[in-house]
């Protein structure tokens, strides 16, 4: 009976103390990691594909590496942080149904990469195409013609710049906030590209 | 244009099930894998919200045919944009090692001899969630499978029109679906020429007598009866006859199994082969997991199938596999389809029971308790298991 229980736990014997350590690690990394999962890992597939895995570190490393190779926009530092977080929270011994992360934790999301530029920036449409593809296309469709998110090409919001910036920087409902992920220059570039569509 | 758009929308709705509702939930971080009760995610069990992957609850498998809107959904990138596959724009090209490259419209295909085949279509990863240690991929449990009637044209009839050249060994299949970011490899597959020329391998434009729904590959998908669904290319637009197996991730890395035993939990660099034929497998559709039944006669029913051979035996155990009782094979008996089975259980004593089932096929293969572990978790066919409570 005992051996059966261990097999069911994924051949990994996780002691209570180790379990607590993993929980501490994942809680500490959660704010940044969850921010990355929403902003970076959800371009091509919804984050449920990530959360349903229960993998040892080596397989998380290989998976994150594969995603990076395929086009996930993450630096080596971010990849490293994600691997540490994912292998602490979604390890082989973790229960099938994990308690939800503290929602306060997730709101924090201090993802800042570079100091935000002050004042207005001029967008470059040609740069915006690539930024759109890697950050927005998964939801807003090829050529911004719409998908799970609304059509953005010729969308009236492009002419209401304040509303556009407000939505992109802070998100709205299912639309992620990009303020801490993209620079103002990036957002201006996407805006310029969208106007050209 | 207006007309075809409307019929496309109709197909979209037929095949969509809960997709629309589910998509709205996309950004919730704690999605499918972490929900306390899976049933809450709607009529199909959603595994991935985008691109949409969902399985059929096994209790719904009691009818011989699985209805289109209840059939499991799996794709790598979601359906292509409607314009790419609208009847006005869509064509199927046949090229490569052929005498005469061909291009077919849907109308052309409908004018050719039509064939109807009943066949099980099953995701290669069905049951992946049961492998221990766990493996990466969509965590399918039992319902990424279905049995439907597929109507279309024989692939070999198209290949005959094109004229296959000497030296051809494989037939590459490409659909119209595309990843959102161009650096992701396309879902490109190939099947050996022998399977492509098999009279039962068809390109289907109808599913259960209705136009193929968008989520199931409209307007045309491949059906390779007896083989896993990774060969059943949806949204088919290109067929290329070639000397070699297709290159690329989805043929050379994914959808392969080691050809020699590997130690559980390791990913050694050993020779591998593409996932092809299905393995013998059975499911218990009723009673369902967690059900409470009254003592007395209880009808246990389910389905069993194998690859290109027939199921010959299904057995049920109430004592964790120490002893087995034969079930009765019932209903329709068609090649490539699943076979329904029944057993009337005289549940005398109240208490908790685990019901197991296993099947054997005409080639002598029989299901084991567990499937040999493989790094990607393909071809699960361990005994099926349902826990019930009997009340006095």
């Amino acid at each position: 009976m005992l051996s059966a229980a261990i097999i069911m736990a994924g051949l990994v014997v996780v002691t209570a103390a180790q379990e607590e350590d993993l929980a501490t690690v994942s809680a500490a990394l959660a704010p940044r990691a969850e921010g990355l999962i929403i902003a970076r890992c959800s371009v091509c597939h919804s984050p449920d594909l990530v959360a349903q895995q229960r993998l040892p570190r080596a397989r998380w490393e290989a998976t994150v590496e594969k995603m990076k190779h395929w086009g996930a926009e993450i630096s080596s530092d971010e990849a490293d942080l994600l691997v540490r977080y994912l292998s602490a929270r979604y390890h082989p011994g973790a229960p099938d149904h994990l308690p939800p992360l503290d929602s306060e934790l997730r709101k924090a999301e201090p993802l800042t990469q570079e100091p935000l530029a002050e004042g207005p920036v001029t967008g470059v449409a040609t740069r915006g195409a690539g930024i759109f593809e890697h950050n927005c296309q998964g939801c807003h469709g090829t050529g911004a013609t719409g998908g799970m998110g609304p059509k953005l090409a010729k969308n009236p919001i492009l002419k209401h710049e304040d509303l556009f910036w407000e939505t992109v920087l802070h998100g709205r409902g299912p639309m992620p906030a990009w303020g801490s992920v993209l620079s103002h220059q990036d957002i201006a570039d996407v805006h310029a590209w969208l106007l050209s569509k | 244009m207006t007309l075809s758009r409307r019929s496309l929308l109709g197909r979209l709705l037929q095949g969509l099930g809960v997709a629309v509702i589910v998509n709205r939930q996309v950004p919730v971080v704690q999605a499918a894998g972490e929900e306390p009760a899976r049933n809450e995610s709607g009529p199909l069990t959603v595994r991935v919200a985008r691109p949409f992957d969902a399985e059929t609850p096994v209790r719904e498998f009691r009818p011989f045919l699985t209805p289109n809107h209840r059939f499991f959904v799996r794709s790598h990138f979601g359906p292509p944009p409607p314009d790419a596959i609208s009847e006005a724009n869509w064509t199927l090209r046949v090229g490569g090692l052929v005498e005469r490259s061909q291009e077919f419209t849907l109308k052309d295909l409908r004018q050719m001899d039509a064939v109807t085949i009943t066949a099980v279509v099953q995701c290669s990863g069905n049951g992946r969630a049961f492998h221990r240690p766990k493996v990466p991929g969509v965590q399918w449990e039992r319902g990424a499978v279905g049995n439907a009637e597929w109507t279309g044209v024989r692939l070999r009839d198209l290949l005959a029109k094109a004229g296959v050249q000497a030296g051809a060994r494989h037939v590459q299949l490409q659909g119209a679906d595309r990843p959102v970011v161009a650096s992701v490899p396309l879902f490109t597959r190939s099947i050996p020429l022998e399977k492509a020329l098999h009279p039962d391998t068809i390109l289907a434009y109808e599913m259960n007598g209705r136009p193929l729904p968008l989520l199931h590959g409209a307007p045309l998908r491949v059906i390779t009866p007896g083989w896993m669904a990774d060969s059943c290319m949806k949204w088919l637009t290109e067929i290329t006859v070639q000397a070699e197996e297709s290159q690329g991730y989805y043929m050379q890395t994914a959808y392969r199994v080691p050809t020699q035993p590997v130690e559980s939990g390791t990913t050694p660099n050993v020779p591998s082969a593409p996932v092809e034929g299905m393995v013998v497998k059975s499911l218990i559709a009723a009673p369902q997991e967690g059900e409470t039944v009254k003592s007395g006669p209880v009808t246990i029913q389910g389905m069993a199938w194998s690859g290109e051979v027939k199921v010959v035996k299904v057995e049920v155990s109430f004592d964790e596999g120490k002893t087995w009782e034969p079930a009765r094979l019932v209903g329709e008996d068609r090649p490539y389809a699943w076979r329904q089975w029944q057993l009337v259980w005289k549940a005398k004593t109240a208490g908790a029971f685990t019901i197991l089932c296993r099947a054997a096929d005409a080639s002598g293969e029989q299901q084991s308790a567990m499937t040999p572990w493989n790094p990607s978790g393909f071809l699960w066919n361990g005994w099926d298991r349902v826990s019930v409570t009997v009340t006095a």
Side-chain angles (χ1 to χ4, degrees), chain B residues 19-293:
Chain B
V20 173
I21 303 158
V22 164
N23 272 347
R24 288 187 196 273
Q25 302 173 347
V26 163
V28 177
V29 188
Q30 310 304 322
E34 302 196 343
E35 278 166 10
R38 285 194 299 280
N39 293 350
E40 282 172 13
S41 50
L44 294 187
T45 306
V46 178
R47 294 282 165 224
V48 183
R50 173 176 52 85
F52 188 59
D53 290 328
E55 61 185 271
T56 313
V58 172
R59 62 171 184 279
E60 296 186 23
F61 287 140
R62 273 169 286 185
F64 179 62
L65 295 176
T66 315
N68 295 359
H69 69 289
R70 313 299 305 150
F71 211 92
F72 84 95
V73 178
R74 162 66 170 149
S75 76
H76 299 78
F77 314 127
D83 280 356
I85 47 170
S86 69
E87 184 150 357
N89 297 338
W90 181 90
T91 59
L92 172 67
R93 289 175 299 283
V94 181
L97 293 179
V98 294
E99 303 298 339
R100 306 161 291 275
S101 294
Q102 304 278 313
E103 190 160 322
F104 299 91
T105 62
L106 261 187
K107 204 167 151 229
D108 298 334
L109 298 180
R110 286 202 197 98
Q111 279 162 359
M112 295 174 59
D113 285 346
V115 212
T116 297
I117 284 177
T118 310
V120 169
V121 167
Q122 178 182 206
C123 176
S124 308
N126 192 25
R128 176 177 290 125
F130 304 127
H131 283 279
R132 292 293 179 280
K134 293 203 173 190
V135 295
V138 178
Q139 297 298 303
W140 299 110
E141 291 181 2
R142 304 157 71 211
V145 60
N147 187 45
E149 274 179 356
W150 309 93
T151 302
V153 293
R154 290 192 171 95
L155 175 51
R156 75 166 180 187
D157 290 352
L158 299 198
L159 294 175
K161 280 185 199 268
V164 173
Q165 290 180 5
R169 293 283 177 276
H170 297 267
V171 174
Q172 174 171 298
L173 309 166
Q174 179 64 58
D177 53 331
R178 292 291 177 272
V180 286
V181 174
S183 44
V184 172
L186 291 189
F187 183 64
T188 309
R189 300 275 309 164
S190 65
I191 55 174
L193 186 63
E194 195 191 356
K195 185 69 177 173
L197 293 178
H198 192 288
D200 295 330
T201 295
I202 64 169
L203 309 181
Y205 47 71
E206 278 181 14
M207 177 176 180
N208 290 326
R210 309 276 308 155
L212 193 64
L214 181 63
L215 286 177
H216 298 291
L220 194 73
R221 82 176 295 178
V222 178
I223 296 293
T224 45
W227 281 26
M228 285 289 190
D230 45 301
S231 298
C232 300
M233 184 64 68
K234 295 176 173 183
W235 308 295
L236 185 70
T237 52
E238 256 172 273
I239 294 176
T240 313
V241 180
Q242 49 197 38
E244 305 293 335
E245 217 172 63
S246 290
Q247 295 307 304
Y249 176 79
Y250 284 104
M251 198 67 202
Q252 295 306 324
T253 306
Y255 295 111
R256 295 184 82 89
V257 281
T259 47
Q260 60 191 61
V262 298
E263 197 188 319
S264 289
T266 62
T267 50
N269 202 1
V270 295
S272 64
V275 171
E276 293 181 340
M278 285 193 259
V279 285
V280 63
K281 187 162 175 177
S282 56
L283 291 178
I284 300 166
Q288 48 178 305
E289 176 60 33
E291 198 172 322
T292 299
V293 296

Side-chain angles (χ1 to χ4, degrees), chain B residues 4-21:
Chain B
S4 69
R5 264 184 176 269
R6 191 172 304 152
S7 65
L8 251 173
L9 182 68
R11 274 182 212 173
L12 183 73
L13 293 177
Q14 279 168 35
L16 205 50
V18 292
V20 173
I21 303 158

